[in-house]
Amino acid sequence: MSQRTPPLCLRALFVTLSVALGLVLAVPAESRTSAAAPEAERDARDESSPGRPVITIGLVDTFTPDFYMYSFVPLVEALRAKLPQYEVRTFEFARGTDLERVEFKPNTFLILSSGDAVRFDALGLEEIATRRVAGSANVDRTIGAVFVVPAKSPVRTLEDLKGRSVATTSPAAFEGWLVPMNEIARAGFDPEHFFSEVLFTEWNVPDAATMVLSGQTEAAILSTCALEEAVAAGAIDPQALRVVNEQPPVGAGGCKRSTELFPDMMLASLPNAHPDVVRDVTVAVLTAPPDRRGYDWVSNNNRQRVLELMERLQLGPWAYLRDMSPSALVERYKVPLAALAAALLILAVHVVRVNLLVRRRTRELTRESHRREAAAEALRASRQALANLERAGMVAQLSAMFAHELKQPLTAIVNYLTGIKMLREQGTFDPAREAFPIDRSLEAAYLAADIVERVRQSAKRQMPVPERTDLCSVLSCAMQHAGAMKSSVLIERRQPDTPVWVDVDALEIELVLVNLIKNALEAVERTNPADGRLEVTLRADGDRALVTVEDNGEALSDDVFGNLGKPHASSKKEGLGLGLAIAVSIAEAHRGHLAFDRRQPQGLRATLTLPLATPDAASTPSTRNLNRDFA
């Protein structure tokens, strides 16, 4: 964005006219001493009026000539009239002066824009009064700016102004430059790269409106009411210019505007001013009559929008935000950077500590893992030993069944052979007559061999081999092998008339039922032989088959009941205490369950639960049955 100013000859002409107007208005020449005047001259003037305190009114040169003629000069004259006990002096600061580097004399007051009051916040200014525009109801919403273009310009919106050339008064003017830049920033644009070219008039001739009308620039920035004043004075055709980004006027009869409104220029005291002097000046300013254009001075402490403007444009107290050098960034963010460094240090210490703890915990877990592996190995060995012991107990039970089963075929073989022998001893030899007992003897021998092989296979294999089996038939064999038919105990048996099919190893399930029935019979015969009663029930419940064996034998203690189904010392002379434990393991191996419940007042209920066979053709019903009659 390029910037340029009008020729120096025009500027000199305008300054000459301003000085002439000042002389006409009877402002003493010495009251407008420049800040660049020699110190010797200032000291001479200080000594010219001994006895009267001096009040110095400083003017920051960022205002229009109209303000100097119609507001500043009348204000100074009013102070001299109302405060004869003081000598009122004035001086101007050149544009661009860094007020924070100036050494002010006592009892100094400044007239400056509300933007400069925030920009030089380090001076410690105390606001006394703010100029109020005639007809303004709100003193903190008084001045702003207006963007104007020729009536035939294609520019309609603020966005259309991007990349255009523009004319305005001065880069130091609050309403002439800072306020418009704030509006551009509020719209989301970069104010420093918004216009392609900026022409600053510095209040010289021609002014910004004349430049846009003559085609020197595509747009112009005017202060609020400047357009209306020029039209009223006949300097501009009412239809020649059009307002861009026009916003609703504030108050009845308000001037056109394109930006927010802000407080006008203000009078402020420096910290070196005596409180009594500040009081006298404040009273004199606030009681001064309005000037010929209706402007007066009132109190105002609301500068919130000005603060937001300066922060948005990164000026004044926020100018440091423009410095992006590494040292400036470090200085700007030293607190969060220090906090970040502390957090990183804490994090590093935490990481080191965690690593140490992880290593220590890893060593402990490794040792614990080794101990668990050793314990698991010992457990596997113990389980293997228990499994071997269970298998030995099962073989013992199978051996008893084996002896019972072999008794019938062997007895039949002996009887048949004995009969043949007796016939031959009597001298009777009839081959046809002997064929029948010989055939039955062979059949009995084959049956005995089959029984031996089944017991042998059962003792050798680790997992049961399921076959489709009728649980009713298995229960009948179990009751026979358990001696239920020969017992004097009253036995009540209930089972369905139709087969109850399960996929099990018939021999092992029969062993479980034999164990349950024998234990129940022994308990009844041992404790209640006269009124002993045994109930055996087989039923199907949903997808399960349940075999229940109930007796009214002895009442079991808590210790005895708690050990049911677990390896323990047996109370029987010939027992190992593993029968029910083996039965539980067999039931679980068949995806079943063996449960025990105490009956009241005495007795025990044992329930074997097995899953019913699924209705498919994959399994073939078992036809093997050890209970054959050779009598």
Side-chain angles (χ1 to χ4, degrees):
M1 179 175 63
S2 62
Q3 302 176 2
R4 56 192 176 93
T5 57
L8 292 177
C9 59
L10 295 178
R11 186 177 178 185
L13 175 62
F14 188 77
V15 171
T16 303
L17 292 175
S18 299
V19 172
L21 289 173
L23 292 175
V24 172
L25 293 173
V27 178
E30 64 272 18
S31 69
R32 302 186 68 249
T33 302
S34 171
E39 289 295 330
E41 182 179 353
R42 293 184 183 180
D43 294 340
R45 291 179 180 179
D46 290 344
E47 296 173 358
S48 63
S49 302
R52 280 202 306 168
V54 177
I55 297 176
T56 305
I57 308 296
L59 176 65
V60 181
D61 187 12
T62 59
F63 304 117
T64 65
D66 286 348
F67 168 75
Y68 184 83
M69 291 183 294
Y70 297 116
S71 292
F72 179 66
V73 171
L75 176 64
V76 173
E77 291 303 318
L79 290 176
R80 286 172 175 168
K82 289 179 174 291
L83 302 174
Q85 70 273 28
Y86 297 104
E87 180 180 352
V88 180
R89 298 179 181 178
T90 64
F91 64 90
E92 296 180 24
F93 289 101
R95 298 187 189 98
T97 301
D98 187 358
L99 297 182
E100 295 178 358
R101 297 180 179 271
V102 176
E103 294 185 5
F104 296 99
K105 293 184 178 297
N107 298 327
T108 298
F109 297 82
L110 293 179
I111 295 179
L112 69 174
S113 69
S114 56
D116 283 338
V118 174
R119 177 184 299 183
F120 301 115
D121 183 67
L123 294 177
L125 298 174
E126 289 293 336
E127 180 182 357
I128 293 178
T130 298
R131 192 179 77 150
R132 180 172 60 180
V133 178
S136 175
N138 195 341
V139 69
D140 66 328
R141 302 188 66 184
T142 301
I143 62 169
V146 59
F147 298 101
V148 295
V149 295
K152 297 182 179 181
S153 172
V155 176
R156 298 291 177 182
T157 64
L158 186 62
E159 185 177 2
D160 295 338
L161 284 175
K162 183 175 175 60
R164 309 277 181 170
S165 59
V166 70
T168 185
T169 53
S170 169
F174 182 61
E175 69 274 19
W177 185 245
L178 298 186
V179 171
M181 293 300 99
N182 176 68
E183 193 66 27
I184 292 172
R186 286 182 61 211
F189 301 103
D190 181 6
E192 295 187 359
H193 302 89
F194 187 76
F195 296 109
S196 62
E197 182 182 19
V198 180
L199 178 62
F200 294 109
T201 68
E202 298 296 343
W203 295 284
N204 293 328
V205 178
D207 58 10
T210 303
M211 286 185 176
V212 71
L213 287 173
S214 63
Q216 297 184 54
T217 60
E218 298 174 272
I221 299 175
L222 308 177
S223 61
T224 49
C225 297
L227 178 62
E228 287 79 1
E229 291 173 358
V231 171
I236 297 178
D237 186 346
Q239 306 301 323
L241 296 176
R242 177 166 43 81
V243 176
V244 177
N245 194 46
E246 185 173 358
Q247 300 185 21
V250 176
C255 298
K256 294 183 178 180
R257 63 188 182 96
S258 300
T259 66
E260 281 189 299
L261 296 179
F262 296 87
D264 201 351
M265 62 280 294
M266 64 174 59
L267 173 66
S269 64
L270 286 165
N272 61 11
H274 192 278
D276 293 339
V277 177
V278 173
R279 178 199 60 202
D280 294 340
V281 170
T282 301
V283 173
V285 170
L286 295 180
T287 57
D291 59 25
R292 69 181 68 180
R293 303 177 104 183
Y295 294 99
D296 61 351
W297 296 83
V298 295
S299 297
N300 175 47
N301 293 320
N302 187 359
R303 290 188 291 171
Q304 181 61 35
R305 277 191 296 278
V306 180
L307 294 174
E308 294 173 356
L309 178 148
M310 301 299 283
E311 182 179 8
R312 187 175 291 114
L313 298 181
Q314 297 180 353
L315 297 174
W318 296 275
Y320 69 92
L321 296 175
R322 294 174 174 265
D323 188 357
M324 301 302 292
S325 63
S327 58
L329 292 176
V330 171
E331 179 64 22
R332 187 183 311 165
Y333 300 108
K334 59 184 178 182
V335 174
L337 287 176
L340 178 61
L344 291 177
L345 178 61
I346 294 174
L347 179 61
V349 173
H350 176 70
V351 169
V352 173
R353 177 177 175 274
V354 169
N355 287 335
L356 293 176
L357 292 177
V358 168
R359 291 179 182 178
R360 182 188 306 170
R361 185 58 178 165
T362 301
R363 291 193 296 267
E364 294 176 354
L365 291 176
T366 301
R367 290 193 294 267
E368 182 66 21
S369 177
H370 292 162
R371 287 195 293 266
R372 289 187 178 183
E373 290 178 358
E377 185 62 29
L379 179 60
R380 284 193 295 270
S382 300
R383 287 180 175 176
Q384 185 62 39
L386 179 59
N388 294 336
L389 189 59
E390 290 179 350
R391 182 58 57 185
M394 185 184 299
V395 171
Q397 294 283 350
L398 292 174
S399 299
M401 293 177 59
F402 166 75
H404 182 272
E405 292 293 337
L406 285 183
K407 184 177 181 180
Q408 289 188 23
L410 292 178
T411 301
I413 293 173
V414 171
N415 289 337
Y416 288 134
L417 294 179
T418 301
I420 294 174
K421 181 180 180 182
M422 290 176 60
L423 290 175
R424 290 190 176 186
E425 287 178 352
Q426 294 175 3
T428 303
F429 179 75
D430 186 355
R433 189 176 180 184
E434 294 178 0
F436 174 76
I438 291 174
D439 292 339
R440 297 300 299 273
S441 297
L442 288 174
E443 184 179 351
Y446 291 144
L447 177 59
D450 184 51
I451 293 173
V452 171
E453 183 62 23
R454 289 198 62 193
V455 174
R456 182 171 174 271
Q457 291 178 357
S458 178
K460 287 175 62 178
R461 65 173 177 258
Q462 297 300 318
M463 294 298 293
V465 178
E467 294 179 339
R468 186 63 51 87
T469 304
D470 181 13
L471 199 54
C472 296
S473 175
V474 175
L475 179 58
S476 298
C477 295
M479 294 189 67
Q480 180 180 349
H481 295 153
M485 305 307 176
K486 302 177 182 180
S487 176
S488 60
V489 176
L490 177 61
I491 300 177
E492 182 178 351
R493 176 182 175 184
R494 292 185 294 272
Q495 67 182 46
D497 297 332
T498 58
V500 178
W501 298 106
V502 291
D503 291 330
V504 296
D505 184 300
L507 187 61
E508 292 193 357
I509 296 302
E510 185 177 337
L511 175 61
V512 173
L513 296 177
V514 167
N515 202 311
L516 297 179
I517 295 172
K518 286 185 64 176
N519 286 345
L521 288 174
E522 291 173 359
V524 172
E525 291 173 351
R526 184 171 58 251
T527 59
N528 194 14
D531 298 326
R533 183 182 180 86
L534 180 66
E535 297 180 8
V536 181
T537 305
L538 169 62
R539 62 188 177 90
D541 183 9
D543 59 348
R544 302 176 301 165
L546 292 86
V547 181
T548 304
V549 179
E550 299 184 59
D551 66 75
N552 59 348
E554 58 187 334
L556 301 180
S557 64
D558 293 339
D559 291 340
V560 174
F561 181 76
N563 288 326
L564 292 179
K566 302 177 183 178
H568 64 282
S570 176
S571 59
K572 303 176 185 177
K573 294 181 179 181
E574 70 281 4
L576 296 176
L578 298 175
L580 291 180
I582 295 173
V584 170
S585 64
I586 292 174
E588 292 178 350
H590 286 79
R591 296 180 295 114
H593 181 64
L594 183 58
F596 302 95
D597 298 293
R598 281 189 284 194
R599 296 183 60 186
Q600 297 298 332
Q602 63 186 45
L604 181 69
R605 179 188 299 108
T607 303
L608 172 64
T609 304
L610 294 171
L612 288 173
T614 55
D616 56 55
S619 299
T620 303
S622 174
T623 58
R624 291 192 287 182
N625 191 338
L626 298 182
N627 187 23
R628 296 187 181 180
D629 186 9
F630 291 95

